[in-house]
Amino acid sequence: MQPEIKRLGKTDIDEFVALIRVFEDVFQMKNWKMPVRAYLQQLLEKDRFYVFVAISDNKVVGGLTAYTLDQYYSTRPLVYIFDLAVKTEFQRKGIGSRLIAEINDYCKQIGVEEVFVQADEVDDYALEFYRSTGGIAEKVVHFNYPLNTQ
């Protein structure tokens, strides 16, 4: 049976925490500490933050998070997929593709101009996945400025 794809609402904190645990596992996050539930609840309540999950047998097996970005070149916003992961044992079964299709459909309905996501050049699996879901690759270099690192 195919997992259900669901957009989380303001009251779905348990599913959000479960998705973050999936990210922690799939991304092999070491020495990482979960933020307090009150903070995660505030994030979940933001209208411009989206969480979609895949649920199988009442368990979160994958999902994605995304943010809305307002533009000044257009009146239509952009949406940035921040994280997407599916538990290892559920990968290569179409769940990630269904998550991409779901957020794209949702964003189309609310008038978003474009959905975009980053992938590391060395992550061949992610690059091929995004290409297979209709993503168009752009050659860019991402810079970050670490702040308040201790």
Side-chain angles (χ1 to χ4, degrees), residues 2-5 93-103 129:
Q2 282 287 335
E4 169 195 3
I5 305 296
K93 296 181 180 182
I95 296 169
S97 297
R98 290 179 56 216
L99 288 163
I100 291 288
E102 195 70 29
I103 190 149
F129 168 73

Side-chain angles (χ1 to χ4, degrees), residues 10-93:
K10 297 174 182 357
T11 61
D12 297 320
I13 186 69
D14 292 332
E15 289 94 341
F16 185 31
V17 169
L19 176 59
I20 296 169
R21 291 292 182 205
V22 170
F23 293 155
E24 179 184 23
D25 180 50
V26 172
F27 301 147
Q28 300 177 353
M29 298 163 59
K30 306 288 184 221
N31 302 317
W32 175 80
K33 185 178 175 190
M34 177 81 69
V36 296
R37 285 177 69 96
Y39 172 78
L40 296 174
Q41 180 65 52
Q42 288 175 352
L43 188 56
L44 197 57
E45 290 174 5
K46 293 180 185 280
D47 291 335
R48 300 167 67 76
F49 176 69
Y50 312 109
V51 182
F52 288 83
V53 294
I55 300 174
S56 180
D57 293 325
N58 296 316
K59 292 187 175 122
V60 173
V61 298
L64 65 79
T65 59
Y67 295 91
T68 300
L69 301 171
D70 289 322
Q71 305 189 72
Y72 42 83
Y73 295 119
S74 171
T75 58
R76 295 171 52 203
L78 304 171
V79 167
Y80 172 61
I81 297 174
F82 190 74
D83 276 328
L84 186 153
V86 175
K87 282 188 170 190
T88 306
E89 62 268 27
F90 289 88
Q91 291 177 3
R92 300 189 184 272
K93 296 181 180 182

Side-chain angles (χ1 to χ4, degrees), residues 126-140:
L127 296 174
E128 183 54 37
F129 168 73
Y130 291 120
R131 283 187 187 105
S132 75
T133 59
I136 301 166
E138 294 181 339
K139 193 74 166 172
V140 298

